[in-house]
Structures are given as C-alpha cells and as structure tokens.
C-alpha cells in the first residue's frame, strides 16, 4: 500500500476553464482594420480633408467618452481602450464632407457619444447607432455645411493641399481664394435626384462627368474597398453575412423592379449600390450588433428594412441618400423584430397536435 | 400522438446518416497526450475516503457500517434513502477507520461525509452474485442486479442506470445508443476503455439492450478516435452479438451531449421537457455498459472507474483505473506529479468541469477526468464588459437559445421570463461563455438560473399544496359548523313540534327555578 502524498490547495473559478483570446477591443480593432482600405480610397479621391475629419472626430469622441465615463463613475482604464468610440467617430467622419467645419465633428460626437451612447447606458445599451444619430443631427441642423461636398480629386480644377484643407476646416475660408460654390459640387446621388425632379431621364443625367461605370466616379471604387473590408470581417466572423446580404439584396431586387418598370427615372440597381453610403452602411453600420437584431432571421429582416427604406428615401424622400435614416428607423424596430423572430429552441414543438 | 409515432419510426433509422446539430464548437481535442500509454491501475493507497455523496445532488447515502468494523471488497457500506440510487460499496477489503467530514469533489465545493477505510491489502471479495445465464435472463433480474451494484451513468450525470433503463423500457425503446462520443477536450477515458476492453463494452451493450428490450444497439464513436473503430469491429466479429453496430460521428463539441448525439444520429430532436424514449431511444455511456457487464456477468458492484488524468499541469498524462475513494493526489503522483506552473485542478473537462479547491478530494463515480491546467492554459481572467449583442453566443448554442436574452433576463431576476425563453433547455455546455467577447460568465449565470427556476417551482408547488391544505381545512371547518347548526336547528324543530314535550320543558324549567330560589334563599341565610 502506498502512503498518501501530501495534498495541495488550488484556486477555483467557474467553467469553462479556457477561452479563446477574443475581446470587445479585438472586435473593434478588426472593424477598424477592415475600414482602412475604404478610408484610404476616400482620402485618395477626396483629399486629406477626409483624414482630418477622422482625426478630429476621434479626438472629440475620446474626449466625450472620457468625460462621460468619469461622470458615470465607470472605470476609464477598462472602457476607454475598447475602441468603440473610435469606431463611432470614424463611421461618422466618413459621412462628412471633407472640408466641413471643425464644429460639425464636435456637435456630431456630442450627440453620438454623450446623448446616443452614454445617456442610454453606455456600451451595449444604446438603442440607436451613435454615429448615425450624430450624422442625422448635423445633417438636419446644418444642411449647408453637411452637403458641401467636393468633387473627386480627378475632376477638381485644382488639388487642395493639406494647408488649405486645415484652413478651410478651422477658419471656414474656402480653399484657393475662391467662393465655396466654386469649390463644392453636388454628389452623384444629389445630381440624380435634382435631375429626375426636373424631368430629365437617368441616362441623360448619367452623362455628367461625376458618374463612373456603375455609380459615382470615385464613389464606386470607395464602395468596392469598403466591400472588401466587409468581406474580410465576414471571413473573420466578426459580422455575419445576413445584414449585408439582406440590405444589398433588397436594394438590388427592388431597384431592378423599378429599373425595369420605369427606366427613365430609376437608376440601375448597381448605380444604387455603388453610390452614396450604401456599401459602407450595409457592411459597417447596419451590422452594428448593439443596435441591430440578434437572431439570424431578425437580421435578414433588419437588413431588408434598411435597404427598402433607403430606396424609398432616395426615390421619394427629401434627401438624396437615406442610409442613416433607414438605419435609425430600423434600430427602433429591432427589439420588435427580435421578439417575433426568436428561433425555435431545441425540442420545442410547433403546433403540436397530440 | 400520430406525430410522435412518426418520429419514433424515423428514429429507427438512427445511424444510417449523420446529421447536424445547431452551433457547437470545433475545439482542439488535446486527447492524444493521455492515450499514449495503456491503462494503468492506481496502487492501493494507505487510506480510501469513500464519499457518501457521489453526484451533483444533495441526497446523502446513509452509512451502513461503524468505525472499527471490518469490510470486504464489494460490501455495501452506504444506502440511499431513494432506493433506486442503490448503494455505495467498499472498494477494497479492510477496516472502517472513521466516518467523518472531509473534502469531496462536488460542484458546491463544500466538504462532505466520507467513509474512511484502511485497506488490509488482501482484496478479499464479498460473496458475488452475478446474474446467471445473462444472455437469456429476465430483464427485471438484470435491472435488479444493476441496482444492487450501484450502477449509475458514468458519462458525468451519474443518474441511476436501473431507473433510467426501467423508465425507458416501460415507454418502449427500439434502439439503444451507446455514447462513446466524449467530445470535451482532454477527456479520453471512454476512448481508452473501448480500445482496451472492447469485449466488455459489447457485452454491456447486449445486457443493456436486453434490459430495455431494444432491437438494436449503436455504439457511437468520434471520427478522431483512430483505432477504436477497428478494435470494436474486431471484437464484434469475435463475439456472437447481433444487431450491434459501430457508427462514427464528426467531432464537434458538445455532440457527446445526449440530445445532440440523438440529433446527429437521427436528425430528430428530443421534445422539450421530454426524454429520449419519446423517440424510442435510450442513450447510455460506454463506461456504463462496461460496468453493467461487470455487474451482471461477474456480480461485481461499481467500485472503480477509468479516469483521465491530463493537462499541461501534470507531468505524464494518462488514463488510470482508480478505486472510488482514492485521493486525487494519489492519481497525480501516479502521473509523475504536477508541473511547476500548475494553476487549476478541474474535475471533468475544461468546458463543463468544476474547479477543485484541493486534491485531497477522492475519486467518485462522476470523475471521468482530472485536469491540471497551467496559467498559460487558463489565461489571466479578463474583466467583464457589457454585452454588445454580437450574437456569437446564439450562433454556437446547440440548444438554439438566445443566451444574450437569457443573460439579460437572469441578471434582472426575471426568472419566469427566462424560463419562458427556454432557460431549462440549456444543456450547460459552456459554448456561449467560451465565445463571449465581453467575458460574461454566462455558464455560471445559467447554472444559477436553472437552480433558481427549480427552487421557485418547488416553492410554488409547496405554496400551492399549503393553500390547498388550508382551503380544504377551511372547507372542512365550515362543513362541521354547518352540520352542527343543522343538527341544532333540527333538534329545535323537533322539540317545538311536540307540545307535550314543550309542557314538560316548561314544568322542568319551573322546577329548576324553584329549586334555585330555595337554594339561594338558604345560601343567603348562611
């Protein structure tokens, strides 16, 4: 018989006893990485203003985030590096005209971080997509500043350097000593909407130089780069395919019907997809898990809703693009959709007849 | 009923095709490290500590022995109040030294009563009573033999085998499924058992099949188990067993779960709140089958089991045959001791097992695996963040629940809502917890929540019973009162009806009055 070995004590903890290295911060970091090609494309086509807006928004977002965390008595060290505010800031900044004045970013981030996020309970508790709240508040309150888009660099009369960009953003002086009207130009979607409202056919409108092969010149390539990042996120399993496929699918399907029925005033489905914020929205904004649906079927409904509402606003609404409004409206519907699309639990009987 | 009959018919095709279940995880198996050397027996330790509580519940066995008493190997030393649970047996011959409180392996982490045996080293068996001529034995005799042997499910749930088989047999079972799909990483005790004692497993399959009255038996193993399939098939060919098949299933955690394995083999779901027998199926662990063979063929009670000792925190991982009551420290010693950076000791697998506060706890019937994990394995505990509703938990949930919703309800104390959202269908596999980027302890929440729902249901039942009793009592009192009233009224009526009796009463009253006056007058004079 063997004598008993001495016993040894251990610390205990709940199961499971190991887990992969996933964190909220890593999820957000992946989103940021996936945005990079699209951001680079934006900067390529619309100049350094894009990057300045992003930096400004990030600084304001982190400032407000720290302020609100302090005010709510939350640990800064845990929440500030989670990168969620940075993602919000970048998504917001990507929607801004590159030369928008600095206080747009300030106002947007105030509404996004302070009101839409923290006053609703902080990370994970917000009902509305913070970036879209910030964007819509600015769009509705400051329509002139928010629609002063530049033409793509290749169409501009003169390229705008970093110095002029900064001056324009911080002092409001139009670059090159010209008036703002000389520098800015309507976006392709804007052009399309005004044209159709004035009775022009889509093919006539599309002959303008700001249009590219499918969508707007430059815009279509930006959309491609965002799509690439989105596909990478899917491959990384950070987002599921449901929302992007449902969003783009519903736009293409409905757009195709409209295009076949009324080609004069309806742009092609590809034109819809490759202009404005649709691709960015489908992969990066409507996929925000906090404000979206959680069940897979719910996510299909959510994405389809975003697509349909976007098309409706583009066609009949007062704004040339409608992604932001569509996302916010669907945010409101998400809890209801989740309620009605709860998956059938294993073993749960449906309509049992015994 | 028609639908159920249809399902039972479809379940007959179990194993013909491999189906899928929702979610699950492909985890690194980490099983090879403990399968490199053959099964070894742990040398008889100087003391055995046999707990009277060997399962997750709380009903303790009553000790049948006194300190100082000599026992033989296989003699009952504890009996449960609930007779189906059977007995706890002496794992070896020797002397009872004490019946005392001490460390045991239990999810609650508390101490428990243990019968301490000092072995005499002679391993003298008590009189064994096998089931004679078992291939033709009466199922009831087989069940009784298993009950006396203290046979319980060795897959982890340790539910009494005879009870489970009897219930299933009464409901009608056509197919017995032997679960050899131990899907949790590191655990390889069933794999080693099938490799080394295939004949015993097959004999057990035949015994259990006969006991439940099934037509066929399927031994389900995992596709990563290598030689096990050939070994089993060879043993099958060598035996005269008929209608026993071996089916390989893809290794996805938690497919060893009873309900998931049934879904993989049949494509059918066990109804919520129902049992596998609703589909004409019975699932038993392969280790249980081997123990059934020991009990029925040799008459040996359940006193030992195969235990995997593994993990990076132990020097030489392997599978051991250990007597119940052997301190875990003795198993670790047999495996070369701990590595320097060992950090946590787990009973069970890394997904569902529970951490032990000390290795003084002895081996019990539920102990399929002892896992020694290092700091590197378990990582630094991550701070809990708010749920970002990413939905990963729902994607991996094999019960198709929405864990984030359940967590929301549980953390707000909405137990009824959580129950309605399917909390009780949670199989506690830990997949949701594993993938959560916010590191929310979902498994802890759901284990706690299921306990809460059960407790509330019990309280509700008790309250209902008390209310029923109270109402019955009130009713009874009211009835008695009413009866008395009726009787008095009837009497009054009866009396008033006869004038003669009235007169008699008046006379009697008059007499009484006079007598009273006379008495009181006399009293006054005094």
């Amino acid at each position: 018989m063997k004598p008993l070995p001495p016993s040894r004590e251990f610390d205990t903890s709940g199961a499971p006893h190991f887990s992969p290295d996933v964190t909220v911060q890593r999820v957000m970091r992946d989103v940021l990485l996936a945005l990079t090609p699209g951001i680079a494309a934006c900067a390529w086509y619309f100049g350094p203003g894009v990057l300045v807006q992003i930096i400004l928004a990030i600084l304001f977002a982190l400032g407000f985030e720290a302020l609100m965390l302090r005010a709510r008595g939350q640990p800064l060290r845990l929440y500030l590096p989670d990168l969620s505010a940075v993602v919000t800031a970048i998504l917001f900044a990507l929607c801004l005209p590159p030369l928008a004045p600095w206080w747009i970013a300030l106002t947007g981030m105030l509404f996004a971080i302070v009101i839409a996020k923290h006053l609703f309970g902080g990370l994970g508790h917000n009902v509305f997509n913070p970036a879209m709240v910030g964007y819509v508040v600015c769009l509705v309150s400051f329509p002139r500043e928010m629609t002063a888009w530049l033409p793509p660099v290749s169409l501009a009369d003169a390229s705008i350097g970093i110095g002029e960009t900064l001056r324009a953003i911080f002092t409001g002086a139009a670059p090159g000593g010209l008036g703002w009207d000389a520098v800015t130009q309507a976006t392709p979607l804007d052009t399309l909407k005004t044209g159709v409202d004035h009775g022009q056919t889509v093919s006539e409108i599309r002959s303008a130089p700001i249009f590219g092969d499918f969508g707007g010149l430059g815009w279509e390539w930006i959309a491609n780069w965002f799509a690439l990042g989105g596909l990478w996120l899917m491959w990384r399993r950070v987002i599921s395919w449901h929302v992007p496929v449902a969003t783009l699918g519903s736009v293409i399907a409905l757009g195709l019907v409209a295009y076949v029925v009324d080609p004069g005033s309806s742009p092609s489905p590809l034109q819809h997809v490759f202009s404005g914020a649709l691709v960015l929205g489908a992969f990066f904004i409507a996929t925000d898990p906090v404000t979206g649906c959680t069940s897979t079927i719910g996510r299909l409904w959510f994405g389809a809703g975003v697509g349909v509402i976007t098309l409706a606003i583009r066609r009949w609404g007062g704004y040339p693009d409608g992604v932001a409004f569509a996302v916010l409206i669907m945010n409101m519907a998400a809890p209801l959709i989740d309620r009605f699309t709860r998956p059938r639990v294993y073993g749960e009987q449906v309509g049992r007849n015994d | 009923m028609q639908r159920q009959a249809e399902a039972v018919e479809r379940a007959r095709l179990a194993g013909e095709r491999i189906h899928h279940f929702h979610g699950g995880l492909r985890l690194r198996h980490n099983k090879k490290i403990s399968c490199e050397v053959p099964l070894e027996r742990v040398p008889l330790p100087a003391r055995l500590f046999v707990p009277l509580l060997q399962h997750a519940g709380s009903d303790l066995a009553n000790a049948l022995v006194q300190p100082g008493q000599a026992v033989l190997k296989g003699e009952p030393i504890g009996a449960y109040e609930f007779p189906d649970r059977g007995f706890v047996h002496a794992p070896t011959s020797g002397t009872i030294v004490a019946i005392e409180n001490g460390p045991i392996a239990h999810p609650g982490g508390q101490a428990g009563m243990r019968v301490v045996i000092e072995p005499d080293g002679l391993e003298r068996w008590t009189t064994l009573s096998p089931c004679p001529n078992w291939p033709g034995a009466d199922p009831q005799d087989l069940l009784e033999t298993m009950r006396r042997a203290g046979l319980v499910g060795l897959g982890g749930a340790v539910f009494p085998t005879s009870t489970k088989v009897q219930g299933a047999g009464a409901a009608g079972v056509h197919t017995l499924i032997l679960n050899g799909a131990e899907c949790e990483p590191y655990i390889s005790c069933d794999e080693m058992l099938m490799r080394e004692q295939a004949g015993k497993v097959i004999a057990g399959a035949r015994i259990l099949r006969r006991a439940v009255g099934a037509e066929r038996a399927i031994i389900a193993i995992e596709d990563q188990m290598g030689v096990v399939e050939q070994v089993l098939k060879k043993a099958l060919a060598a035996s005269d067993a008929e209608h026993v098949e071996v089916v390989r299933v893809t290794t996805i955690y938690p497919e060893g779960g009873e309900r998931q394995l049934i879904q993989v083999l049949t494509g059918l779901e066990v109804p919520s709140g129902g049992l596998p027998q609703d589909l004409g199926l019975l699932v038993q662990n392969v280790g249980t089958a081997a123990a059934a063979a020991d009990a029925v063929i040799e008459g040996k009670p359940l006193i030992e089991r195969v235990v995997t000792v593994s993990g990076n925190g132990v020097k030489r991982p392997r599978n051991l045959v250990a007597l119940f009551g052997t301190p875990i420290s003795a198993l670790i010693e047999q495996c070369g001791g701990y590595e320097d950076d060992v950090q946590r000791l787990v009973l069970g697998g890394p997904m569902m097992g529970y951490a032990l506060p000390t290795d003084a706890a002895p081996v019990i019937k539920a102990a399929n695996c002892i896992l020694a994990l290092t700091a590197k394995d378990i990582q630094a505990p991550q701070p809990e963040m708010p749920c970002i509703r990413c939905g990963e938990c729902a994607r991996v949930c094999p019960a198709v629940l929405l864990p984030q919703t359940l967590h929301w309800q549980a953390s707000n104390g909405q137990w009824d809502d959580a129950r309605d959202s399917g909390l009780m269908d949670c199989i506690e596999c830990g997949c949701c917890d594993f993938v959560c980027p916010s590191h929310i302890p979902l498994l802890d929440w759901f284990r706690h929540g299921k306990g809460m729902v059960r407790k509330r249901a019990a309280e509700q039942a008790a309250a209902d019973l008390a209310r029923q009793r109270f109402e019955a009592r009130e009713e009874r009192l009211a009835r008695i009162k009413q009866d008395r009233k009726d009787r008095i009224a009837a009497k009054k009526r009866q009396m008033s009806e006869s004038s003669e009796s009235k007169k008699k009463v008046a006379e009697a009253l008059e007499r009484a009055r006079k007598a009273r006056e006379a008495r009181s007058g006399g009293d006054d004079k005094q």
Side-chain angles (χ1 to χ4, degrees), chain B residues 242-379:
Chain B
E242 283 175 354
H243 308 295
V244 180
E245 299 148 49
V246 180
V247 175
R248 261 176 13 153
V249 296
T250 349
T251 312
I252 301 172
Y253 179 79
E255 127 199 283
E258 185 171 85
R259 281 157 199 251
Q260 280 58 48
L261 185 61
I262 286 174
Q263 195 171 13
V264 166
L265 291 174
T266 65
L268 299 169
E269 294 174 5
V270 178
S272 181
L275 290 168
Q277 61 223 40
D278 297 340
L279 299 173
L281 302 171
L282 169 69
V283 182
Q284 287 286 348
N285 171 263
V286 288
T288 315
D294 273 342
V296 168
I297 301 173
E298 298 184 43
K300 286 182 183 168
L302 184 60
I303 53 167
E304 62 183 24
R305 69 163 296 151
V306 183
V307 184
T308 304
V309 182
S310 190
N312 294 326
V314 64
K315 287 220 168 88
R316 294 196 297 272
R318 62 195 55 205
N319 277 276
L320 301 172
V321 179
L323 295 175
F324 298 139
T326 310
I328 287 167
S329 55
L331 275 68
I332 298 285
E333 194 183 39
Q334 175 81 6
C335 296
Y338 295 109
E339 293 285 359
D340 293 337
D341 52 350
V342 64
Q343 184 101 9
R344 193 178 292 173
L345 191 67
V346 176
L347 185 88
M351 294 297 288
M352 298 177 72
Y354 49 91
L356 295 172
T358 165
D359 62 6
V363 170
I364 49 173
K365 292 180 182 180
N368 51 357
C369 179
I370 307 291
L371 197 56
L373 296 171
T374 63
K376 221 175 92 198
D377 295 324
I378 52 181
Q379 296 164 5

Side-chain angles (χ1 to χ4, degrees), chain A residues 172-237:
Chain A
L178 305 161
W180 274 105
D181 288 345
V183 183
T184 62
Q185 196 179 343
T187 63
L189 275 177
D190 224 353
T191 313
L192 205 62
K193 187 160 193 79
T194 335
V196 170
D197 287 349
H198 284 80
Q200 287 174 280
T201 66
V202 169
S203 50
E204 282 167 16
I205 303 165
R206 273 194 54 90
S207 60
I210 54 161
F211 288 96
D213 298 326
F214 303 112
L217 188 70
W219 292 92
E220 54 192 14
W221 282 103
I222 293 171
N224 276 324
W225 288 110
F226 279 130
L228 190 74
L231 291 174
W232 181 75
L233 277 189
M234 274 188 208
W235 177 73
R236 292 274 294 169
R237 286 250 177 91

Side-chain angles (χ1 to χ4, degrees), chain B residues 143 162-173 210-214 277 281-282:
Chain B
L143 288 172
S162 58
T163 312
K164 187 171 173 180
V165 175
Q166 188 144 34
V173 164
R210 182 162 184 85
V212 78
Q277 61 223 40
L281 302 171
L282 169 69

Side-chain angles (χ1 to χ4, degrees), chain A residues 9-25:
Chain A
E9 311 280 305
F10 290 91
D11 286 335
T12 62
S13 177
H17 299 284
F18 68 146
S19 60
D21 193 13
V22 285
T23 56
V24 171
Q25 189 187 21

Side-chain angles (χ1 to χ4, degrees), chain A residues 7 9, chain B residues 49 51 100-106 109-114 357-362:
Chain A
S7 68
E9 311 280 305
Chain B
F49 305 86
E100 52 160 42
N101 221 27
I104 58 166
H106 191 271
Q110 76 267 42
M113 292 307 284
R114 323 184 297 178
T358 165
D359 62 6

